[in-house]
Each structure stands twice: as C-alpha cells, then as structure tokens.
C-alpha cells in the first residue's frame, strides 16, 4: 500500500485497517487525522496550483458507503495522483461535552475515475450526518505532496439498515432464540393515567405512536413507524406473563388472536442488547394491507407466521390458533393499528415496577459480538 507522508498523523502501513482495504472500491486508501489546512501539514509541498474540486455531489448513499464525484479543470488532471477526502461527523450542539470527541478522518486515495465509492463500517455509521470536503494532490519525487485548496464543505446523512443488513441481524438472533414456549395473551403495561386518557380522550382506544430511538442505530423503524408496543413473554415455571414490569403498574391484556392471526403479517425489525446479558428482538405485527403493512413491506424482512424462530401462530388439529414465543429472547412486539380497550382487560399487577429494565430510548451495546453486524452500530 502506498502511504502518503503527511506528518506524524498518518497511520502506519501496518495499520489494522489495511486488511479491510480490499473491500473498498478505491485503489488505495489510508486513514489519518486532519491537522488543519495544507500549510500545517509538514510533509506537503508547495508547487504550481492544482485544481480545486467544484460542484461536489454525493450519491448512492447506504448505511456504510457513498459515492462522491466533482468537477475540476481538465487542464491539470494529468498532474493529479491522489485525492484527499476529509470526512467528519456533523457537530451536535446538544452532545455530551464530556464525551470523547470523534476523531476526524482523512481518506487518501489514488486518483481514479469518478464517481468514486467510499466504503467503511469502521468510520461510517448508519443514520448519521457527516460533512465532507476534498483536495486534489500530486505526489512528488521526494514523497511529499502538492495539494490544492480544500473544496467547499458538503453535508449528507447515511442511510438506515437495508433488508440485507436486517437479515444478517435476524440470522444472528435465530442462533440464540432457544426453544419455543406456548403463550395465549399479549399484554401492555402503563401507568393508570395512560389508560384513563385512552378511555376519556381517545374513544376507548390505544393509538399508535412513533417508535422511539431504542435499539440499533440503523433501524429503519426508529422515529418513523407508528405502532403500539406489546409483550408476549411468559415465565418458564408458570406459563403466564411475569408480574413485574418496567413500564407501569397497570396492565392491559387481551387474547393473542385479537392481534396475531392469518389476517396479519409479521416482520423482523431489530436485535439488540443494552450492556446486559438480555437480548431483545423487535417484531412488527401489521394487519394485511394496512398503512403499517405497506411501510414494513418496503423495509423489513417478512417472517412466516407459522414457521419462524421468534413468534408463531398456527392451527391445532381442531382448527384453533396456537401461539409460541422464543424462550431465550425478550420480544418487543409492535402492533401498527389502534387497539380498543374493550378487546381485553386492565388490571393492576402484583409485582414490582423495575425501571432499570426499561428499553425506552435505550442504546444498543456497540461492542456486543452476539447482536452486532459489521455495518456500523
């Protein structure tokens, strides 16, 4: 690999990133820290001016890659040997001021025909805003570089996980799902005021709301899909829902067939943990042809309701619906339509309110090897 001499901040040729370079579409690429403009880079030489990239365009954006191209003066193209691409996460004014600052990334690539693909999960995260600027460079005989001025700064945002990435998460979740246990009800815990409001102000109905940002950062449903969260997990020794809950002392409970049946579609949405041994899978139940169903069809892997490793609905010999859930996963089930309280009952639970187990806006552990894939967090 050809490594530019750009002062002390250039990564070593034996950098661990080198093994991953074969996945890039660039002929050669090296990570280093941007120290400022060209006058501050000790290994960069001055010479006749090189063309500054103009009219930068970003396209084909995924959760861990993008294509970049620009215009420049054709008269000097033959002198350009490399491109320097300065990539930074866009500053968040509300970020924790004590958090370690993200290190800027300068990508140094051999000059190749444009557009050029930049790909790398170790410096690109899904659903994240970035800024990018470009220099042209010419490598000199002594190993130094002559460079142009930096281009204008362009902003873009990486995409959500695609169905390909979600299928990878699904396959990892299947490995630890465990055996299937029978269940018969879905339940939702909330505070008493929540159910009072549903009766008095919402015509006795629980209404869908936009999903929070819990789980994988690249989840395509976070902040977009509207639904109502339910649980279906049962205790191993009783076969009934647990009496403890992180979400409130009042529980709405209804027969499973009211939400899950051959009239609904089932989708896999996420797999994550929160720095604990517990792992969560998010599933979506959507009535066929509903708005939620159309949303999920375009973004999430569909599951066979009668044959999957997470939650099933099938018929017994008498034609009655039978339901099972995975024993070793905590399932969070989103139902995409309003639910009338008359379909079930509301009662106070006898257990504790375990606030520490709440997943509201919970962030995924990016270091867990069980539930992460190599396309960002």
């Amino acid at each position: 690999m050809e490594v530019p001499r750009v002062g002390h901040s250039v990564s070593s040729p034996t950098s661990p990133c080198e093994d991953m370079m074969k996945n890039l579409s660039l002929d050669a690429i090296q990570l280093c820290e941007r120290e400022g403009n060209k006058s501050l880079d000790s290994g960069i030489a001055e010479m006749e001016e090189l063309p500054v990239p103009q009219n930068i365009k970003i396209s084909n954006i995924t959760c861990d890659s993008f294509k970049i191209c620009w215009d420049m003066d054709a008269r000097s193209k033959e002198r350009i040997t490399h491109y320097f691409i300065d990539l930074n996460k866009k500053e968040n004014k509300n970020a924790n001021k004590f958090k370690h600052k993200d290190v800027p990334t300068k990508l140094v690539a051999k000059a190749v025909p444009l557009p050029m693909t930049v790909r790398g999960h170790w410096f690109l995260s899904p659903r994240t805003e970035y800024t990018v600027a470009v220099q042209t460079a010419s490598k000199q005989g002594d190993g130094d570089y002559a460079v142009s001025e930096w281009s204008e700064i362009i902003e873009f945002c990486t995409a959500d996980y695609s169905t390909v990435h979600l299928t990878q998460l699904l396959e990892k979740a299947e490995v630890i799902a465990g055996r299937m246990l029978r269940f018969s009800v879905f339940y939702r815990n909330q505070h008493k005021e929540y159910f009072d409001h549903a009766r008095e102000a919402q015509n006795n109905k629980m209404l869908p709301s936009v999903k929070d940002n819990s789980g994988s950062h690249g989840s395509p449903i976070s902040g977009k899909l509207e639904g109502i969260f339910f649980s279906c997990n049962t205790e191993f020794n009783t076969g009934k829902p647990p009496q403890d809950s992180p979400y409130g002392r009042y529980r709405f409970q209804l027969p499973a067939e009211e939400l899950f049946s051959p009239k609904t579609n089932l989708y896999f949405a996420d797999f994550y943990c929160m720095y604990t041994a517990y792992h969560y899978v998010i599933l979506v139940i959507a009535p066929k042809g509903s708005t939620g169903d159309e949303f999920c069809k375009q973004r999430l892997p569909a599951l066979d309701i009668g044959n999957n490793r997470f939650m099933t609905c099938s018929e017994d010999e008498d034609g009655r619906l039978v339901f099972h859930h995975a024993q070793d996963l905590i399932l969070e089930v989103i139902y995409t339509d309003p639910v009338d309280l008359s379909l079930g009952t509301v009662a106070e639970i006898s257990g504790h309110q375990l606030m520490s187990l709440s997943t509201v806006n919970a962030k995924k552990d990016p270091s867990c090897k069980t539930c992460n894939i190599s396309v960002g967090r």
Side-chain angles (χ1 to χ4, degrees), residues 92-109:
N92 180 2
K93 294 180 180 179
N94 297 320
N96 185 345
K97 65 180 179 180
F98 297 108
K99 183 181 177 183
H100 179 69
K101 189 175 182 180
D102 289 309
V103 177
T105 299
K106 183 188 288 181
L107 308 177
V108 182

Side-chain angles (χ1 to χ4, degrees), residues 23-25 58-68 87 107 116-128 130 156-160 165 374-376:
N23 296 322
L24 300 176
S25 64
I58 304 293
S59 61
N60 295 80
I61 300 171
T62 72
C63 65
D64 65 346
S65 69
F66 62 92
K67 284 189 176 181
I68 185 169
L87 184 69
L107 308 177
M116 177 172 58
T117 299
V118 178
R119 177 180 293 109
H121 68 265
W122 64 97
F123 59 82
L124 283 173
S125 296
R127 199 185 272 204
T128 302
Y130 289 92
F156 71 99
C157 184
T158 48
D160 298 332
H165 302 122
S374 60
V375 288

Side-chain angles (χ1 to χ4, degrees), residues 228-297:
I228 306 170
F229 267 107
F230 285 90
S231 299
C232 68
N233 288 81
T234 58
E235 292 182 324
F236 174 74
N237 57 339
T238 67
K240 297 180 180 180
Q243 281 300 305
D244 299 324
S245 170
Y247 304 110
R249 294 195 54 80
Y250 284 80
R251 173 174 295 168
F252 172 70
Q253 183 172 295
L254 78 169
E257 58 266 26
E258 295 290 352
L259 302 186
F260 191 27
S261 73
K263 296 180 180 179
T264 59
N265 283 325
L266 182 66
Y267 298 92
F268 174 90
D270 203 3
F271 177 42
Y272 72 101
C273 70
M274 303 182 298
Y275 303 90
T276 68
Y278 301 109
H279 276 85
Y280 298 80
V281 160
I282 299 179
L283 303 174
V284 181
I285 299 175
K288 291 181 178 179
S290 65
T291 301
D293 190 36
E294 293 304 315
F295 177 95
C296 294
K297 278 181 181 178

Side-chain angles (χ1 to χ4, degrees), residues 124-199:
L124 283 173
S125 296
R127 199 185 272 204
T128 302
E129 291 185 328
Y130 289 92
T131 61
V132 64
V134 185
Q135 281 179 317
T136 57
S138 177
K139 188 170 185 179
Q140 309 301 293
D142 59 2
D144 288 343
Y145 283 79
V147 297
S148 71
E149 296 289 344
W150 284 103
S151 71
E152 63 178 328
I153 295 174
I154 299 297
E155 297 180 0
F156 71 99
C157 184
T158 48
D160 298 332
Y161 286 161
S162 69
T163 53
V164 172
H165 302 122
L166 288 171
T167 299
Q168 293 176 24
L169 277 179
L170 183 158
E171 291 170 351
K172 291 179 77 74
E174 287 179 332
V175 173
I176 68 164
R179 69 189 184 98
M180 302 294 281
L181 300 179
R182 191 161 177 171
F183 76 99
S184 60
V185 298
F186 286 105
Y187 54 96
R188 173 174 173 79
N189 278 71
Q190 275 288 349
H191 299 286
K192 182 176 181 297
E193 292 75 15
Y194 171 86
F195 296 111
D196 289 342
H197 181 74
R199 293 188 188 97

